[in-house]
Amino acid sequence: MVRVTVPATSANMGSGYDSIGIALELYNVIDLEESDRIDISDKNGQFVPKDARNLIYQCAKRVYDECGKPLSGLRIVEDCAIPQTRGLGSSSACTVAGILGANALLGDPLDRQAVIDLAATIEGHPDNSTPAILGGFCVALLENGHVHQVRVPMHSAIDFIVFIPDFKLSTEKARAALPKTIAHHDAVYNLARAALLAGSLTTGQLENLDVATGDCLHQPYRFGLIENGEDVVRGAKELGALGAYISGAGPSIVAMVYKGDRDYLSRAQAMCAEKYPHWKAVQLRCDEVGATVKRI
Ligand code: HSE
């Protein structure tokens, strides 16, 4: 049996729509072994399909198919801490788990880049799947089945406070809210900020983060789908965040804060308790390791 551990991810980071993401220290832990049937169970009560519609199974089967290997079934045990449909990369984590698990069971026919390419091709969001595999802060784009990616060193002075609501928002719905085309000046607005974001997170010029997380490609269209989303972003900044943005397609909100600001989490929790009872605030550090596979 193999155990695959995959981190949560926060894509876009404001300006880096569909191209920038970070891994966070919250994990799905998936055990897989070959079996004569499909046998799927989960340890913590999240809804997961228990048949061939299961995403982890489908991704594992895809690896077997691409390698020309027959698969009669899999035993999969899921222990998933990443909340589903909250913009924290839960489906990317399951996609990566299925691919890496199958790859390990087959003796590692796919190299790291092939895993990155397949995960993005299946999942469609290289800004989630790439940091889920590599860990850290990544820039990634998918073109013709290949992910061009770089894992960028991130300055160590940043912590992430994640505001997670008790309601869901599907990626399909959040993408359907976006316009088909945008104005030239909106494109320039975002590309300048995405470049500033990558440079500032690397060098530690954290005073740039508020401007650098600015965005006019997706967040303005998505806030209407996230009750109190704009209020939480504004409140997070008023509490002293360096920048705050919708995580992935939402609805979670991420605040970047100084590591030295030790009271930020309790201030954020107090704000939620007082004003936004459908939200909770948790601290998640950047995961620097990425997905791991071990035999158990
Ligand atoms: N970049 C994608 C989006 C992430 O914002 O729709 C989806 O998880």
Side-chain angles (χ1 to χ4, degrees):
M1 182 167 246
V2 296
R3 172 164 293 171
V4 190
T5 302
V6 190
T9 46
S10 177
N12 301 331
M13 300 183 80
S15 52
Y17 179 68
D18 273 1
S19 57
I20 285 178
I22 47 160
L24 296 170
E25 287 187 345
L26 181 68
Y27 300 94
N28 282 359
V29 181
I30 313 294
D31 297 342
L32 305 94
E33 68 181 353
E34 289 187 2
S35 170
D36 55 6
R37 61 195 176 92
I38 299 173
D39 173 6
I40 299 170
S41 57
D42 84 297
K43 288 185 173 173
N44 66 4
Q46 290 213 58
F47 170 76
V48 290
K50 304 284 196 310
D51 54 23
R53 290 170 297 179
N54 180 280
L55 180 59
I56 299 167
Y57 175 79
Q58 287 184 346
C59 295
K61 175 87 168 62
R62 173 84 173 255
V63 174
Y64 275 75
D65 289 347
E66 296 215 349
C67 294
K69 302 285 185 189
L71 179 67
S72 48
L74 278 177
R75 180 166 171 252
I76 298 174
V77 182
E78 303 189 19
D79 187 359
C80 296
I82 306 170
Q84 295 172 352
T85 334
R86 298 296 198 287
L88 292 169
S90 124
S91 59
S92 267
C94 289
T95 301
V96 169
I99 294 170
L100 283 176
N103 196 40
L105 292 171
L106 288 169
D108 294 322
L110 304 181
D111 65 15
R112 174 89 354 163
Q113 184 63 44
V115 168
I116 290 170
D117 292 346
L118 183 58
T121 301
I122 294 174
E123 217 272 333
H125 304 298
D127 47 339
N128 283 116
S129 55
T130 309
I133 295 165
L134 298 179
F137 169 53
C138 295
V139 181
L141 67 89
L142 175 65
E143 189 172 65
N144 300 327
H146 178 70
V147 176
H148 301 265
Q149 46 82 12
V150 59
R151 187 184 187 283
V152 187
M154 193 173 69
H155 199 269
S156 60
I158 306 165
D159 267 344
F160 296 88
I161 303 296
V162 184
F163 295 87
I164 306 173
D166 61 11
F167 53 85
K168 301 179 174 191
L169 174 59
S170 78
T171 301
E172 291 69 31
K173 192 172 173 189
R175 289 184 86 84
L178 307 186
K180 295 278 178 278
T181 60
I182 50 135
H184 188 271
H185 57 77
D186 284 351
V188 173
Y189 183 99
N190 266 69
L191 73 85
R193 280 162 179 75
L196 186 70
L197 179 69
S200 302
L201 283 175
T202 303
T203 59
Q205 286 166 263
L206 306 183
E207 69 281 4
N208 288 333
L209 292 181
D210 189 23
V211 167
T213 49
D215 154 69
C216 58
L217 297 190
H218 66 108
Q219 294 186 124
Y221 305 100
R222 289 173 164 174
F223 276 127
L225 303 173
I226 305 171
E227 192 178 350
N228 290 131
E230 253 182 309
D231 302 322
V232 171
V233 166
R234 193 179 317 109
K237 291 184 187 178
E238 284 168 4
L239 292 177
L242 297 156
Y245 61 86
I246 297 175
S247 182
S252 296
I253 303 288
V254 168
M256 293 186 278
V257 305
Y258 278 116
K259 204 156 251 168
D261 188 353
R262 295 185 190 284
D263 293 337
Y264 188 93
L265 178 61
S266 48
R267 298 200 300 279
Q269 288 171 334
M271 177 181 81
C272 291
E274 188 190 330
K275 294 183 174 170
Y276 310 115
H278 294 289
W279 295 70
K280 66 176 180 183
V282 297
Q283 180 168 345
L284 296 175
R285 295 218 157 80
C286 178
D287 167 280
E288 298 288 352
V289 176
T292 59
V293 184
K294 66 178 179 185
R295 293 198 176 272
I296 56 171

